[in-house]
Amino acid sequence: MNILFAASEARPFIASGGLADVIGALPKALNGAGCECRVILPLYSNIQDKFREGMEKIDEFEVWLGWRHIYCGLYKTVHNGVTFYFIDNEYYFKRDAIYGQFDDGERFGYFSMAVIEAIRHMDFDPEVVHCHDWQTGLIPAFLKFYFSDDEKLSKIKTVFSIHNIQYQGNYDMYFAEEVLGIPEYHRGDVEYDGRCNYMKTGIEHCDAISTVSPTYAEEIKDPWFAWGLDRLLREKEYKLSGILNGIDVEGYNPSADKDIPATFSKYDLSGKAKCKEELQKELGLEVDSGKMVIGMVGRLVSHKGLDLVRAVCDRIVEGNVQLAILGSGDSAFEGFFRDMQGKYPGKISFVCGFIPALAKRIYAGSDVFLMPSKSEPCGLAQMIALRYGTIPIVRETGGLKDSIRDLGGANGNGFTFQTYNAEDMLDAIHRAERLYFDSGHWDEAVLNALSCDFSWNRSAQTYADLYKKVLGK
């Protein structure tokens, strides 16, 4: 099966979050599961020269969008065994940031049409175009609106993946006519609650919908999680499925990672103790192997559950507990953690920003990893933590519920709590403390964590089965 991924970011070329991790890793796994999977992305100006140097220009052509005929260049390169195509247009993609521009709707409307036109110029005939998030939500609709009589393009099936339903590409309805050129008789196909909604359009017109965990697939049919799209998703649930993401187990490998002070594995845990000692030194924490280090890495925003941490932070670091935090986001949370670092020197360390190598050192050197999210479509950090033998503490939502089982039951690999409540989170932390100071059982939990498999192989086979279903094979 020939599969073309259309997405707005992918590692290692350009990244702002978890979407880039998925697009950077899943195609390679699919290629090992009986597919030929390739990827198409915008050619952003901030893609590094070392990647641009290996790109080959395939063709250039015009893309129709509304009343405009716009230049498009098509480039190609191969990375890590996967073929990547790039859509070149400096007007739309020579920007300081990949998102947050005043004309994002137009930029990704152009990208959606350019992806379809580019297929005519590729050395590749995709049977399925797999569209990822709102930035590609117009592709399934454009294929049906404008290419239903095209001998090649009309046969293509589409899968639309929801990575985070909060971000939908939502614009005034005049935008559909004035910018996208969608005729009046198709306005209802892109309209939702009086707005032109890219994600709604993808959900409506694709052949199958996937999202990044089974629990999230259920949650987004509930108004609490769906950001207004629950009615539509209940209507379209016959084509909705949830497939748990994986992680890049080669990039996150404690037995070979050059970004951590000492390597380790389930066969030799001594390096993990060294990682903890060096992390305490690096972050200005008291160097003491008897302290339980809680790590946190990620964006400092409310849906990550940080208001729970703020409510009981003083009680978290009572006794023999330290807190290591890396992240940036809302100024209120940044200010709070700076204040707490000043209040508890040697017990709390906060680094503002995102430093990938330091993130790995926190994963490797912490004893537990805290993710008390209000909502979490999939989450990767809890899987990465397990890869480094660090025990997650999570709230049971989205992919956190699907990947972490409480150590109080069979086959446990972490600590969980259900309600969005600071006391319940604190109880999970205290249960982790009790196990931590029972060294024999803690070592057993660490070894179990290191044995967990969250590689992409299992997920890739599930996606391959979905493509077969869509194609009627």
Side-chain angles (χ1 to χ4, degrees):
M1 293 178 291
N2 288 348
I3 314 299
L4 180 66
F5 273 29
S8 56
E9 56 182 272
R11 293 191 189 276
F13 301 101
I14 193 80
S16 72
L19 173 62
D21 292 304
V22 175
I23 308 304
L26 179 53
K28 183 179 179 181
L30 283 168
N31 288 344
C35 299
E36 170 66 20
C37 185
R38 302 187 180 188
V39 182
I40 188 164
L41 306 164
L43 184 58
Y44 301 104
S45 58
N46 42 6
I47 292 177
Q48 296 179 32
D49 289 341
K50 66 180 181 180
F51 297 122
R52 289 173 172 269
E53 290 167 359
M55 292 183 187
E56 166 197 0
K57 186 172 185 178
I58 297 175
D59 208 345
E60 61 179 62
F61 45 90
E62 287 191 334
V63 171
W64 169 84
L65 187 69
W67 48 268
R68 302 174 303 290
H69 292 269
I70 309 166
Y71 164 83
C72 180
L74 181 63
Y75 288 77
K76 172 185 172 182
T77 192
V78 177
H79 177 79
N80 206 17
V82 177
T83 298
F84 288 83
Y85 299 97
F86 294 87
I87 296 295
D88 174 46
N89 183 290
E90 288 194 350
Y91 176 76
Y92 289 122
F93 303 126
K94 190 176 182 180
R95 307 291 178 95
D96 293 334
I98 61 177
Y99 309 129
Q101 307 295 301
F102 75 96
D103 58 348
D104 276 358
E106 182 176 345
R107 294 169 68 223
F108 291 107
Y110 163 82
F111 177 65
S112 293
M113 187 65 81
V115 167
I116 297 171
E117 289 289 349
I119 293 171
R120 302 181 191 272
H121 300 263
M122 290 178 182
D123 54 345
F124 183 64
D125 294 322
E127 298 169 80
V128 176
V129 175
H130 190 155
C131 309
H132 294 268
D133 264 350
W134 74 264
Q135 294 88 351
T136 59
L138 296 178
I139 292 175
F142 283 170
L143 280 168
K144 290 184 177 179
F145 293 173
Y146 308 123
F147 301 97
S148 59
D149 294 329
D150 186 285
E151 184 177 352
K152 179 177 181 178
L153 298 174
S154 63
K155 297 176 183 177
I156 293 174
K157 300 295 185 180
T158 55
V159 173
F160 181 70
S161 279
I162 302 168
H163 294 262
N164 191 330
I165 203 166
Q166 180 177 352
Y167 306 104
Q168 298 178 7
N170 210 339
Y171 302 96
D172 289 337
M173 276 307 297
Y174 85 89
F175 187 88
E177 177 184 7
E178 297 296 327
V179 178
L180 301 178
I182 294 174
E184 186 173 355
Y185 53 84
H186 278 311
R187 301 285 164 73
D189 293 308
V190 302
E191 182 269 337
Y192 194 73
D193 285 346
R195 306 273 290 175
C196 177
N197 187 308
Y198 284 36
M199 182 166 282
K200 176 266 184 185
T201 305
I203 291 169
E204 182 83 38
H205 295 284
C206 69
D207 296 293
I209 311 161
S210 73
T211 190
V212 292
S213 69
T215 295
Y216 194 57
E218 291 301 313
E219 287 177 342
I220 58 176
K221 292 182 284 185
D222 186 313
W224 176 261
F225 294 96
W227 292 84
L229 288 178
D230 50 289
R231 299 193 317 273
L232 178 65
L233 285 161
R234 287 194 298 271
E235 179 185 327
K236 302 296 181 183
E237 66 179 339
Y238 66 91
K239 61 178 179 179
L240 172 64
S241 60
I243 302 172
L244 188 67
N245 280 344
I247 59 171
D248 179 1
V249 294
E250 295 176 6
Y252 297 109
N253 183 359
S255 66
D257 194 335
K258 296 180 180 178
D259 290 322
I260 62 177
T263 56
F264 58 93
S265 71
K266 62 183 179 180
Y267 305 106
D268 181 3
L269 285 176
S270 58
K272 185 160 177 65
K274 179 67 174 176
C275 287
K276 177 175 178 177
E277 178 184 350
E278 293 301 319
L279 180 69
Q280 289 174 320
K281 291 178 182 177
E282 179 179 3
L283 297 183
L285 299 170
E286 180 186 352
V287 179
D288 184 347
S289 61
K291 305 289 188 184
M292 186 180 85
V293 177
I294 300 175
M296 296 181 70
V297 175
R299 289 179 296 139
L300 304 183
V301 291
S302 61
H303 78 264
K304 294 294 185 180
L306 297 178
D307 49 337
L308 301 187
V309 178
R310 182 164 55 185
V312 294
C313 191
D314 297 277
R315 294 161 65 191
I316 289 174
V317 293
E318 287 176 348
N320 294 315
V321 176
Q322 298 173 337
L323 195 55
I325 307 151
L326 171 65
S328 63
D330 291 353
S331 59
F333 290 123
E334 291 180 3
F336 172 77
F337 287 122
R338 285 194 185 96
D339 290 344
M340 296 305 287
Q341 178 178 243
K343 184 177 181 179
Y344 295 102
K347 297 204 75 173
I348 296 179
S349 177
F350 169 58
V351 178
C352 187
F354 183 69
I355 306 165
L358 176 56
K360 286 187 174 184
R361 293 194 288 276
I362 291 175
Y363 287 125
S366 298
D367 298 299
V368 300
F369 193 87
L370 181 59
M371 291 183 73
S373 302
K374 183 181 294 184
S375 63
E376 195 71 58
C378 176
L380 299 177
Q382 80 279 12
M383 301 180 200
I384 298 169
L386 287 169
R387 180 74 171 144
Y388 286 88
T390 297
I391 309 302
I393 300 174
V394 307
R395 192 176 88 82
E396 294 181 15
T397 184
L400 301 180
K401 182 177 180 180
D402 293 322
S403 57
I404 306 302
R405 302 172 300 278
D406 195 90
L407 278 160
N411 302 313
N413 59 359
F415 294 92
T416 71
F417 62 102
Q418 292 182 339
T419 57
Y420 192 70
N421 179 284
E423 294 296 330
D424 286 354
M425 178 191 72
L426 194 61
D427 176 70
I429 293 172
H430 287 159
R431 288 192 291 120
E433 285 183 70
R434 289 194 291 272
L435 187 66
Y436 176 76
F437 291 108
D438 181 354
S439 58
H441 288 96
W442 184 260
D443 287 346
E444 183 181 333
V446 171
L447 290 171
N448 182 57
L450 287 165
S451 300
C452 291
D453 179 12
F454 288 106
S455 68
W456 275 105
N457 295 335
R458 178 176 53 185
S459 300
Q461 188 56 59
T462 308
Y463 275 112
D465 293 340
L466 178 61
Y467 302 143
K468 288 177 183 177
K469 182 179 178 181
V470 165
L471 292 168
K473 294 187 176 182

